[in-house]
Amino acid sequence: MTVVRLAYSPRNIGTLIDHAAEGPVNLLVSYDVVDKFLKRKDELNIGSWVLDSGAFAVWNSGRTIDNKDFIACAKDMAGEAEEVYGLDVIGSFIATAKNLEEAWADGVPAIPTFHRHDDWKWLDWCCRKSPTGKIAIGGLAGKGRTGYKEWLQKVFALCWPRPIHAFAYASWEAVKTYPFHSSDSSSWFTGGARFGTYSGYTGRPTYVGARLIEDFWGEVLEYQRRERYAKAVWRKQLVEVQEVLDRHAES
C-alpha cells in the first residue's frame, strides 16, 4: 500500500472542512499541533492519520520536545493514529536512539528515521531495531539537488524490501522513481500560501502568483493522483513490502 499523506496545519483546515463531503484525506499530524487537530477532527473526512514528532520544525524554531511527553501523547493516540514516528534529536543519532528505545520500552512502536548525513551504521540499526519493520528517511526537504539520488539508491539497496516512509518527499519524481510505502508533503498548502506556486494545474510546481487563493482542494487532488499512480506502478514491489510488515505484526 502506498499512502501520500498531507501534512496537517491549523492554517489549512478550512480547505479540508469545506471539501469533507468529497472524499477522505490521509494526514500526517505533528505533535505540536495534535491538540488543535483533535478539537477539529470530527469536522474532517479522514481516511487515516499518523503521528509525527515534528522534531525538525521544532528544532528550527529553537524549541525542544520532552520525549516523555511525546510518548504519553503517542500512548493516548493508540488506536487512533495508524503509525507513530519517533522523536529525533537533530544532529545526534545517539540521542535519537535513546528516545526510540524509551518509546519502545514503554510500548510505543515508534518508527525510526534515518537522516541524510547520518552515519550509515545507523541505517542498519534502524532496520534491525524497528518494531514494525518500517523505517523513515529524512533530510530530503531543501536538499539542494546534490547527491540525494545516489543516497536514496543506497538506502533502498541496503534496506529492500523493508517499508520506507519519505518525509517531505512526495513529488512526481519521488512516486515515479521509488517504491515508498508512504510519504508526506506540506507543499499542497505551503506552495500556494507561501510562494504562489500550485501543482494542480500541470502536475509540477507552477508559479501562479495568486497567494490570496484560500481553497487548496485542487492541490489535494493532485497529491491523491500521485498516490493512485504509485499504487498502480509499484503494486508488485509493495507485495514484498507488505510481507515484511505482516511478519513483524505476527511476531
Side-chain angles (χ1 to χ4, degrees):
M1 175 181 67
T2 293
V3 181
V4 176
R5 298 190 178 277
L6 308 176
Y8 172 84
S9 166
R11 294 178 298 165
N12 61 37
I13 194 171
T15 290
L16 303 182
I17 291 174
D18 291 346
H19 294 272
E22 297 182 43
V25 295
N26 298 311
L27 301 176
L28 179 140
V29 181
S30 293
Y31 168 69
D32 61 333
V33 297
V34 71
D35 288 342
K36 295 178 180 178
F37 165 72
L38 293 173
K39 290 177 181 177
R40 307 293 301 271
K41 184 167 71 74
D42 291 343
E43 300 176 66
L44 308 176
N45 185 349
I46 300 172
S48 66
W49 68 278
V50 300
L51 178 65
D52 173 41
S53 69
F56 183 74
V58 170
W59 176 75
N60 270 337
S61 70
R63 295 177 289 130
T64 59
I65 297 173
D66 187 289
N67 194 44
K68 289 184 172 55
D69 292 339
F70 177 70
I71 291 171
C73 175
K75 293 177 74 171
D76 287 343
M77 295 301 105
E80 288 200 50
E82 187 171 281
E83 296 173 333
V84 175
Y85 292 88
L87 176 60
D88 297 329
V89 178
I90 306 301
S92 174
F93 200 94
I94 293 175
T96 296
K98 181 175 181 292
N99 284 347
L100 288 163
E101 289 173 337
E102 286 180 355
W104 298 337
D106 213 358
V108 175
I111 296 170
T113 300
F114 177 69
H115 289 272
R116 238 180 125 205
H117 309 306
D118 282 341
D119 190 296
W120 285 103
K121 69 181 180 182
W122 293 115
L123 177 61
D124 177 69
W125 187 92
C126 290
C127 290
R128 287 187 292 104
K129 295 284 191 175
S130 174
T132 67
K134 184 171 183 175
I135 69 165
I137 55 173
L140 292 166
K143 51 189 166 290
R145 317 304 290 180
T146 303
Y148 73 99
K149 291 183 180 180
E150 293 80 3
W151 182 82
L152 280 168
Q153 288 168 358
K154 187 171 181 179
V155 168
F156 273 94
L158 293 173
C159 289
W160 185 258
R162 291 188 178 276
I164 298 174
H165 176 86
F167 277 116
Y169 189 48
S171 63
W172 271 111
E173 175 192 73
V175 300
K176 286 182 177 181
T177 312
Y178 307 100
F180 293 119
H181 183 254
S182 57
S183 60
D184 70 84
S185 178
S186 63
S187 295
W188 72 274
F189 170 68
T190 58
R194 294 179 60 189
F195 307 112
T197 59
Y198 298 81
S199 296
Y201 295 96
T202 64
R204 60 184 184 275
T206 302
Y207 181 71
V208 176
R211 296 191 191 183
L212 296 179
I213 294 175
E214 296 182 356
D215 191 304
F216 300 94
W217 190 248
E219 302 301 287
V220 174
L221 296 177
E222 167 62 19
Y223 281 90
Q224 290 179 340
R225 280 192 289 271
R226 298 178 189 184
E227 178 179 294
R228 290 193 299 271
Y229 175 92
K231 285 180 176 179
V233 168
W234 301 113
R235 61 189 182 279
K236 292 182 180 179
Q237 289 82 357
L238 290 170
V239 170
E240 296 181 68
V241 168
Q242 188 60 47
E243 289 173 353
V244 174
L245 290 170
D246 291 343
R247 285 198 300 271
H248 278 78
E250 293 169 1
S251 63

